[in-house]
Amino acid sequence: MADIVLVALNAKYAHASFGSRYVLANLGPLRPRACLLEFEINQRATEIVEALLACRPRIIGIGVYIWNVQLATEVVSMLKRVRPELPVVLGGPEVSFETAQQTLCQSADYVISGEADLEFATLCVELLRGERRSQQIIPAELPDLNSLTLPYDLYDDRDVAQRIVYVEASRGCPFTCEFCLSSLDLPVRQFPLERLLSSFERLLDRGVRRFKFVDRTFNLNSKVSAEILEFFLARHRPDLFLHFEMIPDRLPVGLRELIARFPPGALQFEVGVQSFNEEVSRLIRRRQDPEKLADNFRFLREHTGVHVHADLIVGLPGESWDSFGLGFDRLLALRPQEIQVGMLKRLRGTSIVRHDAEWQMIYSEHPPYEILQNKLIDFQSMQRLRRFARYWDLVGNSGNFIDSCPLLWERNTQPFTSLMRWSDWLYAASGRTHGIALGNLAEFLFTFLTRELEFDPCAVAPVLLRDYQRGGRSNRPAFLRPYVAPDAAAAPPRIRTSGLRRQARHLA
């Protein structure tokens, strides 16, 4: 039983809710009267509502994000039908902007916009005293990070053993990129470093080895970044893994030297390139130095063991098909271990909407609000790029085709053109973008390489078999047997490859 029930609707089980733990940690004297229930978005709303009401709550608080807004809408609607007198409070980025247009917000009793770490507790005190506010939309003031209770002790043993542990050293972003909600989050604020490192020490002592920092610009303050990296380097274990989101063109010498001291596989940097087109960057108010970016990429690939995950966005205003393709080729040449191709999303509150008329930007009305077409890329072409992004993820980012994937562009100086040919062919052959079994995908790749690109099957087969068996499989697929001997997978490559090294899945 709990008077206050916080609800997290997570995208996957592995994603422990960070925001909900912050709210729970900062309930003050109400903390013993509260609990956090976590669910996954593939669960039924009826089951979730049943679990919530079994706690006999007097207040329910739900965090709403782009990935759970549909389920949250169902849950709130059902709660208000079954228990109309039960106060439901919403928070989170999805309901912090454009609240008047959202059925979900109209169904709830209160909506806290902005960082609700402290405001939720204030509202709960009033509601438990029987007081009701006349104001439904409650704008939260930015909390003083020195006064916040850190939530890290709320990760339980199950979280430590099975889930991604999220942490942060700062909040806010100094940049004004119009597609990103972080551009609205000013100013950048740092958490007190001594308290923060003390919390990290306790997490390490409890067995946490994978830390995902959610800071939007971890390397903005190089002094703080260096202190955090020094902290972990001094306590390094063989299985330690740290994920950071980095500003791509800011990597001073001191930080470089420190990063180079980490062993291979210990660090992953998520680097938002988004576009190499300088006119596009100007349009969306993104400040980026492409030459410094390229130099930093080369340093990371040639002198460190960092796993580099780079992002590109399809559909930005001013970005044509050819412009995007040139950007993809340019990024591929810098050899990040992973290139995440994402479709532009029209996030609530972002100023990207100012381009809607001039660039004829049309987005889906449903989450995740992805671009459907614009002035330069029509709907059919956008669909082809959407499939390209999916298929690239399957063969380029999955880690399943390390040696064979680069063969797709081996004979072409424009990799994007070759990969798009593969994407169009695969869709015509399979008729789907999801649910393609690994064995079937490998056979499709073999067929394309040998029939469409006219590679020698006896040369391709050992390379593809080695990829297929890399994950511990020992069988030889039937389509490869005529071309490989039983021990062929152990043989050295017979085809020169110039592509990516081993890939690793991105921790979403």
Side-chain angles (χ1 to χ4, degrees):
M1 305 301 108
D3 287 334
I4 304 168
V5 175
L6 291 168
V7 184
L9 306 173
N10 300 326
K12 297 179 181 178
Y13 168 77
H15 300 173
S17 175
F18 194 33
S20 297
R21 281 171 173 77
Y22 256 112
V23 173
L24 183 61
N26 286 278
L27 280 175
L30 296 180
R31 172 68 183 85
R33 301 170 64 181
C35 71
L36 168 61
L37 297 185
E38 295 187 85
F39 304 93
E40 297 168 57
I41 57 173
N42 59 0
Q43 291 182 250
R44 293 180 180 274
T46 50
E47 296 170 354
I48 294 172
V49 170
E50 180 182 17
L52 299 182
L53 295 182
C55 296
R56 298 180 183 176
R58 296 174 60 188
I59 302 169
I60 286 182
I62 303 177
V64 187
Y65 300 82
I66 195 171
W67 64 80
N68 69 17
V69 60
Q70 289 180 310
L71 180 58
T73 301
E74 288 185 57
V75 168
V76 173
S77 175
M78 201 172 296
L79 281 170
K80 298 312 291 183
R81 284 177 174 271
V82 177
R83 289 279 305 278
E85 78 287 354
L86 177 61
V88 174
V89 184
L90 305 179
E94 183 65 11
V95 294
S96 289
F97 306 95
E98 303 174 23
T99 53
Q101 295 99 319
Q102 299 187 59
T103 301
L104 172 59
C105 295
Q106 295 165 11
S107 301
D109 295 272
Y110 299 100
V111 178
I112 300 178
S113 63
E115 297 176 25
D117 311 76
L118 301 177
E119 188 61 41
F120 180 75
T122 302
L123 178 60
C124 285
V125 169
E126 297 172 8
L127 293 175
L128 292 173
R129 285 200 304 243
E131 302 172 5
R132 289 278 185 148
R133 293 194 192 184
S134 58
Q135 180 186 19
Q136 187 210 17
I137 310 300
I138 304 170
E141 294 184 6
L142 286 180
D144 177 3
L145 300 190
N146 291 284
S147 66
L148 285 185
T149 300
L150 300 180
Y152 304 113
D153 292 336
L154 294 179
Y155 286 117
D156 61 24
D157 292 342
R158 183 188 61 170
D159 300 326
V160 170
Q162 302 174 4
R163 308 174 85 180
I164 298 170
V165 169
Y166 296 95
V167 298
E168 64 180 351
S170 65
R171 289 186 183 177
C173 180
F175 300 106
T176 55
C177 309
E178 294 180 343
F179 57 83
C180 183
L181 270 175
S182 296
S183 65
L184 308 176
D185 192 7
L186 295 170
V188 178
R189 295 156 292 146
Q190 297 283 158
F191 281 89
L193 198 54
E194 185 176 348
R195 277 205 303 143
L196 193 67
L197 296 182
S198 178
S199 294
F200 294 168
E201 185 87 69
R202 291 196 299 276
L203 288 174
L204 285 167
D205 290 343
R206 293 178 59 200
V208 174
R209 295 295 180 266
R210 302 177 72 84
F211 292 76
K212 183 167 185 179
F213 282 76
V214 300
D215 305 51
R216 307 308 295 178
T217 52
F218 178 76
N219 57 328
L220 178 66
N221 186 325
S222 58
K223 181 178 183 298
V224 173
S225 305
E227 287 191 52
I228 291 173
L229 290 172
E230 288 278 12
F231 169 86
F232 282 107
L233 191 61
R235 294 158 180 79
H236 181 263
R237 280 86 159 173
D239 51 354
L240 182 67
F241 177 84
L242 308 171
H243 171 104
F244 302 104
E245 186 168 341
M246 309 291 282
I247 304 169
D249 55 6
R250 186 174 303 191
L251 209 59
V253 173
L255 211 52
R256 284 187 173 200
E257 293 174 350
L258 183 55
I259 290 167
R261 291 166 57 192
F262 279 83
L267 299 179
Q268 175 168 287
F269 290 171
E270 181 176 349
V271 184
V273 177
Q274 318 310 4
S275 176
F276 277 104
N277 186 316
E278 294 188 26
E279 177 60 20
V280 171
S281 295
R282 185 193 65 78
L283 277 173
I284 61 173
R285 298 175 182 168
R286 179 172 179 80
R287 304 192 302 275
Q288 185 165 272
D289 186 327
E291 297 306 319
K292 286 185 179 179
L293 179 154
D295 182 61
N296 288 335
F297 267 70
R298 284 190 288 269
F299 167 77
L300 292 172
R301 294 297 282 118
E302 295 171 8
H303 301 289
T304 78
V306 173
H307 177 95
V308 180
H309 167 104
D311 294 323
L312 284 179
I313 295 179
V314 173
L316 290 168
E319 186 91 89
S320 67
W321 176 285
D322 291 339
S323 169
F324 175 82
L326 289 172
F328 182 90
D329 290 347
R330 187 171 177 181
L331 182 56
L332 187 68
L334 295 175
R335 300 187 303 118
Q337 286 90 340
E338 191 171 359
I339 299 175
Q340 191 74 38
V341 178
M343 307 303 293
L344 176 64
K345 299 171 179 62
R346 212 266 323 157
L347 302 178
R348 295 186 186 277
T350 57
S351 56
I352 195 76
V353 295
R354 75 184 184 92
H355 300 289
D356 285 0
E358 180 181 358
W359 294 99
Q360 301 169 25
M361 311 290 283
I362 305 297
Y363 301 90
S364 170
E365 293 181 344
H366 306 288
Y369 315 116
E370 288 184 343
I371 187 77
L372 297 176
Q373 65 182 38
N374 62 26
K375 183 178 181 179
L376 299 180
I377 304 176
D378 63 22
F379 177 75
Q380 287 75 19
S381 299
M382 200 71 77
Q383 283 294 95
R384 290 178 64 200
L385 288 168
R386 199 182 311 276
R387 288 192 289 271
F388 166 82
R390 171 60 181 165
Y391 292 146
W392 170 253
D393 211 34
L394 290 178
V395 299
N397 291 334
S398 66
N400 291 322
F401 300 98
I402 298 164
D403 293 329
S404 48
C405 177
L407 299 179
L408 289 168
W409 65 85
E410 180 72 18
R411 297 172 174 173
N412 195 324
T413 58
Q414 297 178 312
F416 174 75
T417 301
S418 297
L419 288 164
M420 183 54 69
R421 178 182 173 186
W422 151 251
S423 176
D424 290 340
W425 180 91
L426 180 57
Y427 185 65
S430 67
R432 59 172 63 187
T433 56
H434 292 74
I436 306 176
L438 178 62
N440 292 337
L441 185 60
E443 186 170 4
F444 280 128
L445 183 57
F446 180 75
T447 301
F448 180 81
L449 289 170
T450 56
R451 295 183 186 175
E452 299 296 316
L453 299 187
E454 300 181 344
F455 278 104
D456 180 359
C458 293
V460 171
V463 178
L464 193 55
L465 180 60
R466 186 166 53 254
D467 278 344
Y468 179 80
Q469 294 183 341
R470 196 182 305 275
R473 304 173 191 86
S474 58
N475 66 305
R476 287 183 301 150
F479 67 91
L480 292 178
R481 289 173 193 165
Y483 308 103
V484 293
D487 61 347
R494 296 175 61 182
I495 298 178
R496 180 181 64 86
T497 61
S498 60
L500 306 178
R501 297 180 185 176
R502 178 166 182 79
Q503 310 287 309
R505 294 187 182 276
H506 174 50
L507 297 174

